[in-house]
Amino acid sequence: MIEKRQFYIDGAWVDALEGRDHQVIDPATEEPCAVIALGGQADTDAAVAAAKRALPGWMATPVADRIALVEKLLAVYLERAEEMAQAMTLEMGAPIALSRASQVGAGSFHLKNFIDAAKTFEFDKAFSEAFPDTRMIHEAVGVCALITPWNWPMNQVTLKVGAAAVAGCTMIMKPSEESPLSAMLFAEMMDAAGFPKGVFNLVNGDGVGVGTQLSGHADVDMVSFTGSTRAGRAISKTAAETLKRVHLELGGKGANLIFADADDKAVKRGVLHMMQNSGQSCNAPSRMMVEAPIYDRVVEEAAAVAQSVTVGAPSEDGRHIGPVVNAVQYDKIQGLIETGIKEGARLVAGGPGRPEGFNKGFYVRPTVFADVTPDMTIAREEIFGPVLSIMKFESEEEAVEIANDTPYGLTNYVQSTDTERRHRLARQLRSGMVEMNGKSRAPGAPFGGMKQSGNGREAGILGIHDFLEIKAVSGWAAE
């Protein structure tokens, strides 16, 4: 049993002032694997006070020096990559191969992109050639609360910490209580990199406790939150009392539009993307929408691909999927699978219960429903598990209508070799991101959504922007 009951505050590991024990559950065994402390108001106040004290000095630190510390952080991160992979596999059930390649890799990828972006970012520049006497200064927002989720721990931690650090903000991070071990290891890395005390602080806690305390704290200038839309609403309401800036990266219900002229790998690509990380990704392509002439063939192929996806223990090497994170999530997914059956969707792969060979652990069968209609619950709710809904459309116009008929707007996908069609759809689909034909976004390209998928953008230059205020100064030139 791992015991980690301390918080990282003001450059030191300190005992919790008001902490209560919390067991971290290994989702593969349903047994406790660690004990941490969940903080209280006194712990939150101590962390905020440390960040507030450190802010003037960190803001005044030259940008080049801030970037150099992030470069040191990246080096430490890479040195301890295997420890990080093992921590995430234990706490949230990602298969070790996925942890090593994608879960850990996402963190190093984002840190490198922030370093590159910051080196070209003009933090201080003339407003224009015509008006050089007016100066635009990009200044840190201030003390920032960073509230991160369990599903892609280092992806979200580095997207927030890397941007805030180069922007000159000081931070209090509250990771998910489901995945605290990787976050505490990251705090060790921040310390080893040599960040000044108080610049980065970590307090473990739950959303109702530390999360609410940070969101409403008078000395916190910004909250950057990734998680559920429900929690995002609560944070926004709490933060409104102090009019602080709020950045939200929330849920999604991505549509994957597959046209008759899609490439041969489009269906397999879409199913495997849906199943990655056991379906626990906000940008998962969970609604596969298929043009009528190829619908039957696609359903058959999608079912076969899902049936080929194996489920295995996170500790075992290989390209399988692991369990979902906890009992609450498992029960929610099982309930939605049952709802899909009751509402008339046609089950073509997977279904209720654990996969064959598992009698414990939060394992879910890779599941595919066909003949799903837009009014069905599984077409509207974010399931956050390895469950794919296949829908039929007759025309491009109908596809757009169905795709946009959701409160979410994070990522949509298009599979078509018709360039003009792709260009039309890119403008018509209401989402912060549109990915086409399996092409990944460029390094540093912005990540974020619209509607109830949140606001603000993460990664690269626009991610740094989110942690900056713009100050307009006139009369800059000498008299």
Side-chain angles (χ1 to χ4, degrees):
M1 177 77 72
I2 299 170
E3 296 190 11
K4 287 183 174 287
R5 291 183 171 89
Q6 289 188 311
F7 303 144
Y8 185 73
I9 298 176
D10 210 18
W13 290 98
V14 298
D15 292 332
L17 298 172
E18 296 180 355
R20 55 186 174 87
D21 281 357
H22 169 76
Q23 290 185 333
V24 180
I25 304 299
D26 178 349
T29 65
E30 303 185 42
E31 298 294 332
C33 63
V35 176
I36 63 167
L38 301 182
Q41 187 68 58
D43 302 292
T44 300
D45 289 344
V48 173
K52 185 177 180 181
R53 287 193 300 271
L55 181 62
W58 185 238
M59 286 178 63
T61 300
V63 174
D65 293 348
R66 298 201 298 259
I67 294 171
L69 281 171
V70 178
E71 289 176 323
K72 289 182 181 178
L73 170 63
L74 175 57
V76 174
Y77 185 92
L78 292 172
E79 287 171 4
R80 302 186 69 178
E82 180 61 21
E83 290 177 74
M84 185 62 78
Q86 294 290 344
M88 289 187 285
T89 289
L90 177 64
E91 68 191 0
M92 53 76 64
I96 188 61
L98 178 70
S99 287
R100 288 171 177 150
S102 300
Q103 293 278 7
V104 170
S108 54
F109 178 77
H110 293 313
L111 290 176
K112 182 181 184 303
N113 290 335
F114 282 128
I115 291 165
D116 293 343
K119 287 179 178 179
T120 62
F121 191 94
E122 293 185 273
F123 286 85
D124 185 334
K125 62 179 182 178
F127 176 67
S128 68
E129 290 185 8
F131 297 96
D133 198 38
T134 295
R135 202 80 182 169
M136 303 295 288
I137 298 175
H138 293 82
E139 182 175 283
V141 168
V143 175
C144 297
L146 314 179
I147 303 177
T148 59
W150 48 261
N151 60 321
W152 287 91
M154 283 303 107
N155 183 75
Q156 296 307 132
V157 166
T158 55
L159 277 172
K160 299 180 191 304
V161 172
V166 296
C169 296
T170 56
M171 299 157 261
I172 308 97
M173 186 167 76
K174 187 209 83 66
S176 169
E177 65 273 26
E178 304 290 345
S179 59
L181 303 180
S182 56
M184 297 178 83
L185 178 58
F186 186 83
E188 292 179 14
M189 296 176 181
M190 293 289 289
D191 185 72
F195 281 84
K197 67 179 186 177
V199 168
F200 175 87
N201 307 274
L202 180 146
V203 178
N204 281 314
D206 55 21
V208 174
V210 174
T212 299
Q213 293 158 14
L214 287 169
S215 301
H217 205 292
D219 289 333
V220 170
D221 301 296
M222 173 179 170
V223 177
S224 179
F225 169 77
T226 299
S228 70
T229 297
R230 175 193 54 78
R233 292 191 193 101
I235 285 170
S236 297
K237 290 176 182 177
T238 303
E241 291 295 323
T242 49
L243 295 177
K244 56 173 55 69
R245 183 183 294 188
V246 178
H247 169 109
L248 301 172
E249 199 275 278
L250 308 176
K253 193 67 179 175
N256 185 10
L257 279 57
I258 300 183
F259 289 86
D261 65 346
D263 67 87
D264 292 342
K265 296 179 180 179
V267 177
K268 181 178 181 179
R269 184 168 63 238
V271 176
L272 295 180
H273 190 173
M274 179 64 240
M275 301 301 166
Q276 185 191 39
N277 204 39
S278 300
Q280 299 172 121
S281 300
C282 53
N283 62 341
S286 55
R287 294 181 294 156
M288 180 176 281
M289 297 172 49
V290 184
E291 193 170 12
I294 61 169
Y295 180 79
D296 292 338
R297 174 178 64 79
V298 168
V299 169
E300 184 177 346
E301 182 181 352
V305 173
Q307 289 162 0
S308 74
V309 174
T310 57
V311 181
S315 58
E316 295 177 359
D317 204 0
R319 299 185 65 181
H320 54 274
I321 66 172
V324 297
V325 71
N326 58 26
V328 171
Q329 191 66 18
Y330 177 84
D331 290 344
K332 174 191 173 186
I333 295 165
Q334 294 300 319
L336 285 166
I337 291 173
E338 293 285 3
T339 297
I341 294 170
K342 290 176 183 176
E343 292 183 354
R346 177 162 57 102
L347 185 66
V348 297
R354 291 183 177 88
E356 185 177 350
F358 292 92
N359 57 16
K360 66 176 180 178
F362 306 122
Y363 295 94
V364 177
R365 300 171 68 191
T367 297
V368 177
F369 283 101
D371 304 345
V372 177
T373 56
D375 60 310
M376 290 182 180
T377 304
I378 58 172
R380 305 202 66 79
E381 288 194 21
E382 184 180 34
I383 300 174
F384 228 60
V387 181
L388 175 66
S389 298
I390 305 182
M391 313 168 75
K392 183 191 296 186
F393 66 85
E394 299 288 344
S395 67
E396 184 178 316
E397 292 73 22
E398 183 188 18
V400 171
E401 181 180 355
I402 297 172
N404 288 340
D405 183 22
T406 172
Y408 298 107
L410 188 58
T411 314
N412 285 312
Y413 302 82
V414 177
Q415 317 302 327
S416 172
T417 53
D418 184 331
T419 302
E420 291 186 2
R421 170 187 283 148
R422 294 199 309 273
H423 291 177
R424 287 194 302 270
L425 292 170
R427 291 175 172 84
Q428 293 171 0
L429 292 170
R430 292 282 294 160
S431 55
M433 297 168 285
V434 181
E435 298 187 10
M436 302 188 178
N437 292 345
K439 303 294 184 183
S440 299
R441 298 183 311 280
F447 186 101
M450 56 181 68
K451 300 193 285 184
Q452 291 188 30
S453 288
N455 55 61
R457 293 295 181 268
E458 293 186 309
I461 286 177
L462 289 179
I464 297 171
H465 259 296
D466 253 20
F467 287 88
L468 293 169
E469 297 281 12
I470 298 176
K471 181 183 291 183
V473 181
S474 58
W476 186 263
E479 294 291 339

